[in-house]
Amino acid sequence: MNAKKIRISCILFLLCICFLCGCEKQQSAAKNKLYVGITYYNQSDTFLSQLNICIREQLDQLENDDFEIIIAVRDAAGSQRTQDDQVKELIDAGCNILFVNLVDRTDPSEIIDIAKENNVPIIFFNREPVAEDMMRWDGLYYVGADAKQSGTLQGELAVDAILADSRIDRNKDGKIQYVVLEGEPGHQDAIIRTESAVNTLKDNGIQLEKLGYGIANWNRAQAQNRMMQIIGQHQNEIELVLANNDDMALGAIDAYKKLNYTESALPLFFGIDGTDVGLQAVTDSELAGTVYNDKEGQAAAMAKLAVAIISGDGLEEIEFQNEKYIYLPYFKVTIDNVDDFTNTES
Ligand code: BGC
Ligand code: CA
């Protein structure tokens, strides 16, 4: 009788232990789940489609036995309304962190409100919200790059090329006739890249004459159209094309090809990004240079930050600017070092 009682007590005791362990295991499983909801302003954007691959790779690398990572990706296709709805849907589906590439960087209010209400932190990336919005909650972060630096580096590439080859000033008037192709108005990278590139040329004593500019919204086909119009007005007077990104520089090259210009009548073209097609054009000597927008570095910073926020571990090791911003540096790319960048791609 006593032995039976002891046996029953032992079984009950073991059952209790199993139950408690089970709960603990469930709890830690829940704690170590990163469910990332990502939404892009437009997934057909060349740079962002490549950044998306890097983000997935970085998140996959961080997954291990203790940390489960689930990723859901949405494309807002240029509509802020759609993106607001996507954020609601992703939070309802159980996402515990969001990576948001805003459609309209001045209009994140609805997204911030719903994220704050549900206590789901947001890492904004590539399209930087204005400072007042970033201050609205301490669960908001930004990962990107310093627009001014990219323009300065593009300007330096152009200075070096112009000083190295007197044939670039084709009409020998001592000035460089140039055209600018700009990204979306209102994007933090567009105006600042143009200003800092042009100022760098001026500060280095290059005399400039602006022949025209076109807003081409980061887009290759739009850049080709705008460039065809500008070439129509100025024929072979253009000596330099500064584009806010590689796709638009490539669109400008497309325009000259379409018009059958001979190589000796072409201007110098500079882009920014170092996308696969951009780097290929540098290798082929079609683009005189580009500025590498470090998508691998940005993706790694986002993944690391997300894990730190959710696990509560390692946040103090991350070096922020103004407590919530991470900016990765840009790098100059020419024919001389392009291989260093194409090799990291594989
Ligand atoms: C990139 C562009 C891209 C844009 C999208 C910029 O930083 O240089 O290529 O289209 O971001 O937001
Ligand atoms: Ca000239």
Side-chain angles (χ1 to χ4, degrees), residues 116-245:
K116 192 174 165 187
E117 243 169 70
N118 291 276
N119 200 25
V120 177
I122 305 181
I123 301 175
F124 291 105
F125 64 102
N126 171 264
R127 300 163 74 87
E128 186 175 335
V130 295
E132 296 85 83
D133 286 321
M134 288 294 288
M135 302 298 284
R136 287 182 43 195
W137 182 37
D138 57 10
L140 307 177
Y141 299 87
Y142 179 74
V143 174
D146 174 14
K148 185 160 184 238
Q149 188 202 15
S150 56
T152 304
L153 296 183
Q154 187 185 55
E156 287 175 7
L157 285 170
V159 170
D160 290 348
I162 291 163
L163 295 180
D165 187 352
S166 60
R167 288 169 306 177
I168 292 164
D169 178 14
R170 274 202 315 274
N171 64 353
K172 305 275 173 257
D173 67 345
K175 292 186 221 155
I176 298 297
Q177 278 70 28
Y178 77 103
V179 164
V180 179
L181 289 172
E182 292 192 348
E184 286 165 277
H187 190 299
Q188 82 278 347
D189 288 339
I191 314 155
I192 298 177
R193 281 179 179 170
T194 305
E195 269 175 17
S196 53
V198 169
N199 288 340
T200 302
L201 279 150
K202 287 184 183 157
D203 292 347
N204 281 275
I206 308 286
Q207 303 284 317
L208 293 173
E209 184 187 351
K210 185 172 179 176
L211 293 184
Y213 80 102
I215 292 174
N217 300 307
W218 310 118
N219 181 282
R220 184 167 178 161
Q222 287 184 37
Q224 179 186 325
N225 283 337
R226 284 298 291 127
M227 200 64 210
M228 302 265 287
Q229 290 164 3
I230 298 170
I231 298 170
Q233 286 156 13
H234 298 283
Q235 288 82 32
N236 55 7
E237 287 169 28
I238 305 161
E239 297 170 341
L240 170 68
V241 175
L242 298 172
N244 285 168
N245 76 346

Side-chain angles (χ1 to χ4, degrees), residues 41 45-48 101-102 125-127 145 184 187-189 193 217-219 244-247 272-273 275 293 298 330:
Y41 96 97
D45 181 288
T46 308
F47 174 73
L48 289 171
N101 177 235
L102 283 167
F125 64 102
N126 171 264
R127 300 163 74 87
E184 286 165 277
H187 190 299
Q188 82 278 347
D189 288 339
R193 281 179 179 170
N217 300 307
W218 310 118
N219 181 282
N244 285 168
N245 76 346
D246 285 354
D247 260 21
I272 291 177
D273 275 344
T275 54
N293 196 350
Q298 291 161 27
Y330 285 97

